[in-house]
Amino acid sequence: MTKENFKQAIVEAHQRLENLLQLASLATEQSIEEDYPIEFLQQAIAEISIFLEELHQQNEELIITRHLVEAERQRYHDLFNFAPDGYLVTDITGIIQEANYAAANLLNVRQSYLIGKPMSVFVDQTQRRKFRKIILQLQQQGQIKTEELRFFHNQGSIDFPAELTAIALEDSQGKTVSLRWLLRDISDRHQTEQKIREQAALLNITTDAMILQDLDNQILFWNQGAENMYGWKVKEAQGNNAWELLFKETSPLLWAALKTVIERGTWQGELHKFTKYGKELIIASRWTLMFDAVDLPKSILIIDTDITEKKQLETQQLRSQRLESLGTLASGIAHDLNNILTPMMTVAQLLPLKYPDLDDISLQMLKILETNAKRGGDLVRQILSFTRGFERKPTIVLVTQLIEDIKQIVQQTFPKLIKINTDIPQNIGIVVADSTELHQVLMNLAVNARDAMPNGGKLTISATKLFIDENYARMHIGATVNSYVRITVADTGVGIHPEIIDRIFDPFFTTKEVGKGTGLGLSTLMGIINSHGGFVEVASQVGIGTKFQVYLPSKEGSTSQVIDEIELPTGQGELILVADDEVAITQVTKTTLEMYNYKVLTAQNGIEALALYNQYKNEIRLVLIDIIMPLMDG
């Protein structure tokens, strides 16, 4: 029964009761039997009984309703009193009228102590002005959604941050009569936020890129490391497709990585990614699948480490190791070739001296033999230069003069379609090196540049002086902190393909046709420059040209060059012991020395040499001995 129905029933019952009372009073004044029949009285009594029953029922309903109201009030009181957050009811000035248990617990006082106290006395003194503004706002606007204030705890000795929500209650005339406040301690939230800020700071401090993306590759998180590595700002990256942002094309490796991380939860490997400015980076990437609260995949955490520099250093290291191993092989080859060519060249030179009456054809044949033996000797010298297997004669080399000499040679011998330019400052300085070897290095680079420009082009030889610091030296094998002269040989030729540029310094590697190159030029160049404490860099673009840069430690001092004059002395019959396992070399050496008035003993190994020395040790004045021999070496 609703409230309106209940009121209506009471009104009708009272009306019927009034009617019955009127009938009863009339019955006492006159004879009931005369004016009212018995049936009418019976009906009236029945209505009275019904009315009494209704009154009883309504009384029962009133009792039930009262119990329900009391229970509801008790439930409200329990909810109000034991709610996890603090609730306060104040008048419009902030005087506390009601307070629940949580509010008293937050402020560390009894509930009864709060009643009648101004709420402002529990607000931090520095924020009471803000509290007064909040009350004024409540009076004017009726509510505040969320404000933060600091409240005192434990009689003002400790304060804590609280989140405040409030609403104003009005009477039937619309006048504000009270204020209701919700008070929540957010100390834990502040601590959590502080931890999050600290963790975020750590994420931003790391040099690694940390990227969180959803399963559709949309970027959700982008740390400072990612911004520094790839150049995209946070606002530029977040919300964009990571694959479109960091890759030029979608490769099968990417799809395989995505499949693996979804199936297994993790993936790691190397990827080639691009920065905002198009620079390619080699990335060590680690992917981890992240799950939501119901253990369903929701995102992928990616941690990227830039290993481009590391890979470059590894490549240089592998090249250095490869050259070292090939150098060992080349040294053995050079030794064998030297043993073959030395007798040939010596015989070709000695025969005209021993037989001065040889005809012109014989002399011409011997000249051809000598020329080709010298060519073979030059090849051996290149191999020995590569392996650093011989002693050089360093002198003071004027860089300006060196490049001018090269310029004159190439101008006289190169096709006219090739334009030659030089750019050398006058104060470029000097280097201490083997002048012949440096000529060989620059001529080799110039000839390679010529071959790369069959239809003509521009050859530029320049030099500059610079100082290499620790950062640069750390990234380049062979470089040290020092002053260097950098000689650059650049052409506008066909260029070198990226797939083979790391192999161009390998011995016997060449892209030239058979018969047009031995493949030893650049490997020899590398050996020469390394042995002088320098290093070489190369950059090339197909169809644009190639640039070689040779770095040599620079020196200060006089530019005069030392020239040694060598004369072959004639002997006076001194005895010389020659030991070599190559019969041809011992015989030719013996013949040559005898022509210069020396006496010669020969041995084929170390044991024979020792035996002869013990026999003639008082007469032997000099021993010429091979280092590598059977049974006993030099």
Side-chain angles (χ1 to χ4, degrees):
M1 178 179 290
T2 64
K3 182 177 180 181
E4 295 297 330
N5 291 337
F6 183 73
K7 288 181 178 180
Q8 183 63 30
I10 293 294
V11 171
E12 291 177 354
H14 277 284
Q15 185 63 43
R16 287 197 300 273
L17 183 60
E18 288 292 335
N19 293 336
L20 290 174
L21 290 174
Q22 290 179 3
L23 288 175
S25 62
L26 289 174
T28 56
E29 295 176 359
Q30 57 186 352
S31 173
I32 297 177
E33 292 182 0
E34 293 179 357
D35 297 325
Y36 296 94
I38 295 299
E39 293 79 3
F40 177 79
L41 293 176
Q42 291 176 344
Q43 181 182 357
I45 292 171
E47 289 181 0
I48 291 172
S49 298
I50 293 172
F51 172 73
L52 292 174
E53 181 65 27
E54 288 180 354
L55 284 178
H56 179 73
Q57 182 179 354
Q58 291 169 2
N59 187 52
E60 292 292 332
E61 290 180 0
L62 284 173
I63 293 172
I64 293 172
T65 302
R66 187 184 65 187
H67 286 304
L68 290 175
V69 170
E70 289 293 332
E72 188 69 23
R73 185 184 179 196
Q74 184 62 40
R75 186 161 51 250
Y76 163 77
H77 182 269
D78 291 341
L79 289 174
F80 175 78
N81 209 31
F82 298 104
D85 295 324
Y87 286 96
L88 296 171
V89 178
T90 70
D91 63 12
I92 60 174
T93 64
I95 303 299
I96 299 175
Q97 297 173 336
E98 293 183 60
N100 72 342
Y101 177 78
N105 189 50
L106 280 176
L107 301 174
N108 198 29
V109 294
R110 299 185 310 275
Q111 285 179 266
S112 59
Y113 177 81
L114 291 173
I115 307 305
K117 297 291 190 301
M119 186 175 170
S120 60
V121 300
F122 299 99
V123 177
D124 187 286
Q125 187 172 0
T126 60
Q127 294 193 308
R128 288 178 182 174
R129 178 177 296 179
K130 181 179 180 180
F131 178 72
R132 288 192 292 270
K133 289 182 179 179
I134 291 174
I135 289 183
L136 182 61
Q137 182 180 346
L138 278 170
Q139 294 172 352
Q140 294 175 348
Q141 301 178 8
Q143 67 175 357
I144 57 167
K145 291 186 177 181
T146 302
E147 289 286 349
E148 187 173 319
L149 285 175
R150 297 197 70 85
F151 283 80
F152 283 118
H153 173 71
N154 195 18
Q155 298 180 353
S157 60
I158 301 174
D159 62 348
F160 63 92
E163 185 180 82
L164 205 62
T165 304
I167 187 171
L169 295 182
E170 299 177 346
D171 58 15
S172 57
Q173 285 77 35
K175 181 180 179 182
T176 301
V177 293
S178 64
L179 306 175
R180 294 192 176 185
W181 307 80
L182 172 63
L183 195 66
R184 178 174 298 164
D185 186 355
I186 55 174
S187 300
D188 292 340
R189 183 197 300 177
H190 275 206
Q191 292 176 1
T192 302
E193 290 175 352
Q194 179 63 26
K195 289 181 180 179
I196 292 174
R197 285 192 293 269
E198 292 173 356
Q199 292 169 354
L202 290 175
L203 292 179
N204 284 329
I205 288 173
T206 178
T207 57
D208 287 343
M210 292 189 177
I211 305 167
L212 186 68
Q213 63 185 50
D214 62 21
L215 301 183
D216 294 323
N217 301 320
Q218 300 300 312
I219 297 173
L220 306 175
F221 175 76
W222 182 271
N223 78 330
Q224 186 67 40
E227 182 176 314
N228 296 336
M229 186 177 297
Y230 296 115
W232 300 97
K233 301 293 184 182
V234 175
K235 61 181 179 181
E236 296 174 319
Q238 285 185 349
N240 287 321
N241 189 293
W243 288 12
E244 294 178 358
L245 201 69
L246 301 175
F247 298 92
K248 287 190 174 180
E249 59 183 14
T250 303
S251 65
L253 179 59
L254 272 179
W255 288 111
L258 182 61
K259 180 181 178 183
T260 300
V261 76
I262 291 176
E263 292 178 351
R264 302 180 183 178
T266 60
W267 176 87
Q268 61 180 4
E270 290 185 10
L271 296 172
H272 289 253
K273 296 187 178 183
F274 292 85
T275 68
K276 179 180 180 180
Y277 310 103
K279 180 182 178 182
E280 185 176 8
L281 301 178
I282 303 175
I283 299 297
S285 194
R286 300 172 296 283
W287 296 16
T288 303
L289 189 63
M290 309 299 290
F291 298 89
D292 59 15
V294 294
D295 208 28
L296 292 176
K298 69 171 184 177
S299 58
I300 299 173
L301 175 63
I302 299 175
I303 301 177
D304 286 348
T305 303
D306 184 1
I307 58 172
T308 307
E309 179 181 323
K310 177 183 176 184
K311 282 292 182 180
Q312 291 173 347
L313 292 175
E314 285 179 356
T315 300
Q316 294 183 29
Q317 186 67 34
L318 288 174
R319 179 190 298 165
S320 177
Q321 292 174 354
R322 187 165 63 243
L323 291 177
E324 183 178 351
S325 61
L326 291 174
T328 303
L329 174 63
S331 179
I333 295 174
H335 180 268
D336 291 339
L337 286 174
N338 190 60
N339 288 338
I340 295 171
L341 294 173
T342 299
M344 294 172 59
M345 186 167 59
T346 306
V347 168
Q349 293 173 340
L350 290 178
L351 283 176
L353 298 176
K354 192 171 184 65
Y355 303 101
D357 296 331
L358 290 173
D359 57 77
D360 292 340
I361 295 177
S362 298
L363 291 174
Q364 185 178 1
M365 297 298 290
L366 289 173
K367 189 63 176 177
I368 293 173
L369 178 62
E370 180 184 356
T371 300
N372 283 275
K374 284 183 177 180
R375 289 181 60 188
D378 291 339
L379 183 60
V380 171
R381 177 178 172 82
Q382 286 186 331
I383 296 174
L384 290 176
S385 175
F386 166 70
T387 60
R388 306 179 190 178
F390 70 96
E391 183 180 357
R392 59 179 44 87
K393 295 182 179 179
T395 59
I396 295 174
V397 178
L398 185 62
V399 177
T400 303
Q401 187 61 48
L402 173 68
I403 296 178
E404 285 297 329
D405 292 345
I406 298 298
K407 180 181 179 181
Q408 291 181 8
I409 295 173
V410 298
Q411 282 180 335
Q412 295 172 1
T413 58
F414 281 17
K416 301 302 180 183
L417 292 175
I418 296 177
K419 184 179 180 182
I420 302 167
N421 291 331
T422 57
D423 182 13
I424 310 100
Q426 291 297 321
N427 61 344
I428 191 62
I430 60 175
V431 296
V432 175
D434 187 305
S435 177
T436 303
E437 288 183 343
L438 291 190
H439 274 84
Q440 178 184 353
V441 166
L442 296 184
M443 279 304 304
N444 181 277
L445 293 178
V447 169
N448 285 347
R450 178 203 65 188
D451 296 341
M453 299 183 289
N455 299 321
K458 182 179 180 181
L459 171 63
T460 302
I461 304 175
S462 60
T464 185
K465 192 173 182 179
L466 74 162
F467 180 80
I468 288 181
D469 58 18
E470 291 183 0
N471 291 332
Y472 189 93
R474 180 171 52 86
M475 296 175 59
H476 295 77
I477 292 178
T480 59
V481 178
N482 200 355
S483 294
Y484 284 82
V485 172
R486 181 176 64 196
I487 303 175
T488 303
V489 179
D491 64 65
T492 58
V494 295
I496 303 172
H497 199 279
E499 294 180 357
I500 65 171
I501 196 167
D502 287 334
R503 299 179 58 196
I504 62 175
F505 293 101
D506 292 353
F508 308 109
F509 175 81
T510 180
T511 58
K512 297 180 181 179
E513 298 177 6
V514 177
K516 293 188 177 181
T518 63
L520 286 173
L522 290 178
S523 61
T524 302
L525 178 152
M526 179 68 79
I528 291 173
I529 298 304
N530 288 346
S531 65
H532 283 83
F535 61 98
V536 181
E537 289 183 340
V538 58
S540 183
Q541 288 184 275
V542 176
I544 296 179
T546 303
K547 178 172 67 176
F548 283 89
Q549 292 181 316
V550 176
Y551 292 78
L552 292 168
S554 65
K555 301 292 182 180
E556 301 294 337
S558 173
T559 60
S560 62
Q561 299 196 20
V562 178
I563 302 175
D564 295 330
E565 298 292 339
I566 300 176
E567 296 182 358
L568 298 179
T570 300
Q572 298 179 1
E574 293 91 342
L575 182 62
I576 297 175
L577 172 60
V578 178
D580 197 304
D581 60 310
E582 294 289 338
V583 177
I585 291 179
T586 57
Q587 290 301 320
V588 169
T589 304
K590 178 181 179 182
T591 301
T592 303
L593 291 172
E594 288 176 346
M595 290 180 63
Y596 283 88
N597 199 26
Y598 294 99
K599 295 177 182 180
V600 181
L601 296 174
T602 61
Q604 302 302 310
N605 54 61
I607 294 176
E608 290 184 13
L610 284 176
L612 287 172
Y613 183 78
N614 287 329
Q615 185 178 355
Y616 298 98
K617 61 182 178 181
N618 294 328
E619 301 176 36
I620 294 175
R621 295 293 177 264
L622 179 69
V623 178
L624 299 178
I625 190 167
D626 189 14
I627 296 299
I628 301 174
M629 294 186 297
L631 300 180
M632 182 183 292
D633 59 27

